[in-house]
DNA sequence: TTATTTTTTGAACCTATGTTTAAAATTCAT
DNA sequence: ATGAATTTTAAACATAGGTTCAAAAAATAA
């Protein structure tokens, strides 16, 4: 019966997480204050504690939310019936779009070991590993189907994800190149490392 | 005559900067406390203020120190008489070695805009731009000499530096692959984006 | 040695911010 | 409408950590 209540609570939690994520992008983990997260929602910081145990918990769940969005994205790509080249291209573009779109602050928290408890860290690393594995699967598939040369899968994946993740360091919403253009170019160049010729 | 004094002071400053850098690697900007920096040198946090105006100043100068080391490295590569392919390979390897060696914590401070004042940020960005330009120069030279295809220099440089900088996120001193091996592999794969064939 | 300058200390101060809490406000079921 | 459950508030509290400062210690010069 109280599913209403539960839903409402869940919705509010989501709002808070979104607000937290927004602050997180700008200020970084330690720079983010409960006050600012609350202010964006016209709430007081005290009320955050009705929904979350403490700041760590809040920001951790925020991190999880972001990771889930990313995982959803790549899962769709994996399940599509494209060939490996196109899958990798899509995965790269999807990642960049997520990383640059204002809603998502994928990896807003680099260096999670600076902020999370061991237990939390384990969970985050697990999700990251899943994400990496999806990339590996695509690359393996490409090698099997002879679309890619026989590369060191892990190395190549690290290079690709590194290049992608670094975009957040310099990307500017109002910069000369759109996320779309960037993602096209990145996909093209990165694929050159892999594709046979 | 008091060059003795000045030298001694400079040396002490260096020590402090090194200590600060070490803490920075582990804890991140906001996680670094004056107390911990001092403790590593068996000093008290109060005495840090004899050498530096405040925490911001200290960590900013720490950042500058690191950047200078990097710039020295690539300048040597630029001035060498290798061909562009080898120059780029060297620059990549040099960067990775610096980024992984314990002494250097190159870019320990990602997202400098989280921490620095406008003025400081300008200086940091200026140094980064210099560093980037060196890479661009190498790439341009390669294109001119027909060793590289006619790529989008900026894009390719961003991809390369992104991949390199991200290494610090996962590199483990005790991991399976040495920095040397990693740098070889990275150079090989990244060059595939550029080299004509 | 004595005086002067430099360096270090450690306590005090201050502020920002995470957290608690009791009371007020709101929502909701009947 | 009324009472109970839920949600929000605002103030109080606690503490970490940056900064200051006057006095002590150490180094240096005479």
């Amino acid at each position: 019966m109280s599913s209403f209540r539960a839903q409402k609570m869940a919705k509010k939690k989501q709002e808070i997480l979104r607000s937290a994520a927004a602050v997180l992008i700008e200020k970084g983990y330690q720079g983010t204050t409960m006050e600012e997260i609350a202010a964006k929602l016209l709430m007081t910081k005290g009320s955050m504690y009705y929904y979350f145990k403490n700041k760590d918990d809040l920001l951790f769940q925020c991190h999880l939310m972001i990771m889930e969005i990313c995982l959803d994205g790549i899962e769709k790509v994996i399940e599509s019936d494209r060939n490996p080249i196109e899958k990798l291209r899509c995965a790269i573009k999807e990642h960049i779009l997520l990383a640059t779109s204002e809603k998502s602050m994928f990896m807003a928290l680099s260096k999670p070991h600076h902020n999370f408890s061991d237990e939390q860290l384990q969970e985050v690393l697990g999700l990251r590993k899943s994400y990496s594995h999806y990339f590996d699967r695509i690359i393996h598939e490409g090698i099997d189907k002879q679309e890619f040369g026989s590369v060191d899968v892990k190395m190549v994946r690290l290079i690709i994800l590194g290049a992608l993740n670094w975009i957040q360091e310099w990307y500017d919403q109002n910069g000369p190149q759109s996320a779309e253009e960037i993602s096209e170019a990145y996909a093209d160049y990165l694929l050159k490392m892999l594709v046979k010729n």
Side-chain angles (χ1 to χ4, degrees), chain A:
Chain A
M1 306 294 104
S2 69
S3 153
F4 255 178
R5 281 286 164 78
Q7 260 183 297
K8 213 179 139 195
M9 180 135 192
K11 190 185 162 194
K12 196 77 184 239
K13 275 192 185 177
Q14 282 290 319
E15 277 183 62
I16 295 174
L17 288 179
R18 269 182 226 298
S19 176
V23 182
L24 221 38
I25 305 170
E26 272 189 76
K27 308 291 182 73
Y29 193 95
Q30 319 258 5
T32 298
T33 70
M34 298 297 269
E35 187 96 48
E36 192 165 353
I37 294 170
K40 288 215 174 206
L41 299 168
L42 305 179
M43 301 171 79
T44 57
K45 63 177 174 174
S47 57
M48 305 284 101
Y49 290 83
Y50 184 71
Y51 297 96
F52 297 92
K53 206 164 109 267
N54 53 35
K55 181 186 175 184
D56 262 12
D57 180 36
L58 200 176
L59 294 193
F60 174 61
Q61 297 208 42
C62 184
H63 196 110
L64 291 189
M65 179 184 74
I66 297 163
M67 294 291 302
E68 266 166 39
I69 294 172
C70 293
L71 281 166
D72 285 352
I74 196 159
E75 273 162 19
K76 283 206 190 82
V77 173
I78 287 272
E79 287 159 10
S80 72
D81 57 355
R82 294 171 235 259
N83 62 35
I85 289 180
E86 286 311 308
K87 272 189 187 170
L88 190 52
R89 183 183 295 281
C90 276
I92 289 171
K93 290 173 73 171
E94 176 80 13
H95 186 111
I96 293 178
L97 267 335
L98 274 178
T100 55
S101 77
E102 68 187 323
K103 267 191 291 185
S104 131
M105 18 28 233
F106 180 50
M107 295 286 126
L109 322 176
S110 56
K111 310 211 195 326
H113 49 284
H114 285 166
N115 311 304
F116 294 142
S117 72
D118 279 358
E119 203 179 352
Q120 292 173 327
L121 193 55
Q122 257 6 74
E123 190 164 349
V124 168
L125 295 184
L127 290 174
R128 288 195 181 195
K129 197 167 276 184
S130 303
Y131 191 75
S132 300
H133 279 343
Y134 283 127
F135 267 85
D136 287 352
R137 265 176 60 182
I138 297 175
I139 298 173
H140 265 123
E141 197 184 321
I143 295 173
D144 291 346
K145 294 192 176 170
Q146 312 269 325
E147 290 183 22
F148 299 156
S150 53
V151 296
D152 181 331
V153 176
K154 186 183 167 192
M155 276 299 179
V156 168
R157 179 249 295 162
L158 284 169
I159 291 173
I160 293 175
L161 285 180
L164 301 191
N165 286 331
W166 197 254
I167 292 176
Q168 53 169 346
E169 295 285 331
W170 55 266
Y171 177 73
D172 174 9
Q173 190 88 43
N174 308 313
Q177 34 218 343
S178 70
E180 186 69 33
E181 289 167 342
I182 293 168
S183 70
E184 291 285 353
Y186 265 58
D188 284 345
Y189 287 119
L190 288 170
L191 275 165
K192 284 196 189 177
M193 293 191 308
L194 286 156
V195 176
K196 270 185 158 167
N197 51 151

